[in-house]
Amino acid sequence: MNNTTAKPLGVFSTTFKLLTFRLSQEEFLQLDGRHLAFGLACTWLVGIGRYWEHPSAKLLQYLGVGSVIYIFALSVFLWLLLWPLRPKNWRYRNLLTFISLVSLPAVFYAIPVERWFSFQTATNLNVWFLAIVAGWRVALLIFYLKRSGELRAGELFVATILPLMVIVLALAVLNLEGAVFEVMAGINRERTTNDAAYGWLFLLVILSYLFLLPLLLAYAVIVIQKWRKWRVEKSNSSPR
C-alpha cells in the first residue's frame, strides 16, 4: 500500500482496532501526529485516575505528568534495546505512538473498588486488574512486534520477555515504592489494597533474577545472527 496516498486513519477506529488486535502492518505505518496526541491525552488521563487516591503518590503522579514522562522513557528504552534485533519499520515515533495508545487499558486502575467492596475483595480485584492490564499490554506488544516488526517466534519471545525482566529488576532497585520488601519482611506498616499486587511483583523479581542471564545470552546470539545476515546482504548488494 502506498502510504502517501492512503486514506488517513480515524483516531478512534484505529485505537479500537489496535486494542482488539486487528491493525494491519500498513495501518501501523500510517500512525501519525493525531494518533500520538490522542495517545498522550489518554496516558495523561489514565495517569491521573491511577494515582488520584494513592496514599504515597508524588505530585507529578497526581497530575498525570509522571505517566506521560514514563512512556517517553519506556519508548526510548525499548527502541534502543530492540534496535539490534533489526525489526522492520523500527521508528521511535511510531513506537511511542503505539505505547501511548495502549495506555487505555490502565483505566481499570482508576476504578475506586476500595469504596464499594471490603478490603480483601478490593485487594483481589486490584490483583485481577493488574493481571488483565499487564497481560493485555504484553499481548499487544507481541502483536506489534510481529505485525509491524516481522520478528519470528524466538525473536518475539526474547524481544518481549527481556525488556519486562529489565523493567521488573529496575523496580526492585527502586524498592517497588518501598512496599514489597516491607510486606515480605513483615514490617509493620499500613496495609493497602495494592499489597497483593506488590507480592506478585516480588515473585516476578525473583524469576527475573533467575532467567535474566539466559535471556541475555539468547539476545546476544540473535543480535550476532542478525548482523551477520545484514553484512552478507549488504555485501551481496554492493556493486562489484
Side-chain angles (χ1 to χ4, degrees):
M1 181 181 292
N2 188 344
N3 292 329
T4 60
T5 60
K7 181 180 179 180
L9 295 174
V11 172
F12 297 107
S13 60
T14 301
T15 304
F16 181 74
K17 290 183 69 174
L18 171 60
L19 295 178
T20 53
F21 304 90
R22 295 185 295 115
L23 210 63
S24 67
Q25 184 183 74
E26 291 80 6
E27 289 170 328
F28 268 120
L29 296 178
Q30 291 181 63
L31 296 178
D32 56 28
R34 297 172 301 124
H35 302 95
L36 178 58
F38 177 70
L40 291 176
C42 291
T43 302
W44 171 60
L45 291 174
V46 299
I48 293 175
R50 179 175 184 175
Y51 289 103
W52 62 357
E53 290 187 335
H54 197 291
S56 58
K58 305 297 188 295
L59 178 60
L60 289 181
Q61 292 173 320
Y62 281 126
L63 296 177
V65 179
S67 297
V68 176
I69 294 173
Y70 171 76
I71 66 166
F72 276 92
L74 177 62
S75 299
V76 170
F77 165 70
L78 287 176
W79 189 86
L80 291 174
L81 181 65
L82 302 186
W83 174 74
L85 300 181
R86 302 188 66 79
K88 297 288 182 64
N89 311 308
W90 198 236
R91 305 166 186 168
Y92 172 76
R93 180 168 174 172
N94 191 268
L95 176 64
L96 173 63
T97 303
F98 161 76
I99 291 177
S100 69
L101 291 174
V102 302
S103 66
L104 269 174
V107 71
F108 283 106
Y109 295 141
I111 300 175
V113 293
E114 297 85 356
R115 297 184 179 182
W116 305 326
F117 301 99
S118 66
F119 179 87
Q120 186 59 50
T121 301
T123 299
N124 293 334
L125 286 172
N126 277 332
V127 172
W128 277 107
F129 289 160
L130 174 66
I132 291 171
V133 174
W136 196 350
R137 285 174 165 175
V138 170
L140 285 168
L141 177 60
I142 295 172
F143 172 71
Y144 174 71
L145 293 175
K146 182 178 181 180
R147 180 64 58 85
S148 180
E150 297 185 5
L151 294 182
R152 296 175 296 179
E155 298 165 352
L156 271 176
F157 179 80
V158 173
T160 304
I161 302 301
L162 180 59
L164 293 177
M165 288 191 171
V166 173
I167 291 171
V168 167
L169 290 175
L171 288 174
V173 171
L174 297 173
N175 202 25
L176 295 174
E177 301 182 34
V180 169
F181 299 107
E182 292 177 357
V183 171
M184 294 300 129
I187 298 175
N188 187 23
R189 58 187 289 276
E190 182 181 356
R191 298 174 67 200
T192 74
T193 54
N194 293 318
D195 286 349
Y198 289 138
W200 282 105
L201 287 175
F202 182 81
L203 176 61
L204 291 177
V205 169
I206 300 301
L207 293 175
S208 298
Y209 274 118
L210 292 175
F211 292 104
L212 180 62
L213 182 57
L215 272 174
L216 286 174
L217 292 175
Y219 173 82
V221 169
I222 294 173
V223 170
I224 292 172
Q225 292 176 341
K226 285 279 187 176
W227 284 93
R228 282 180 176 175
K229 180 180 178 181
W230 174 78
R231 290 183 63 182
V232 170
E233 292 175 348
K234 184 178 180 182
S235 176
N236 291 338
S237 61
S238 299
R240 298 181 183 278

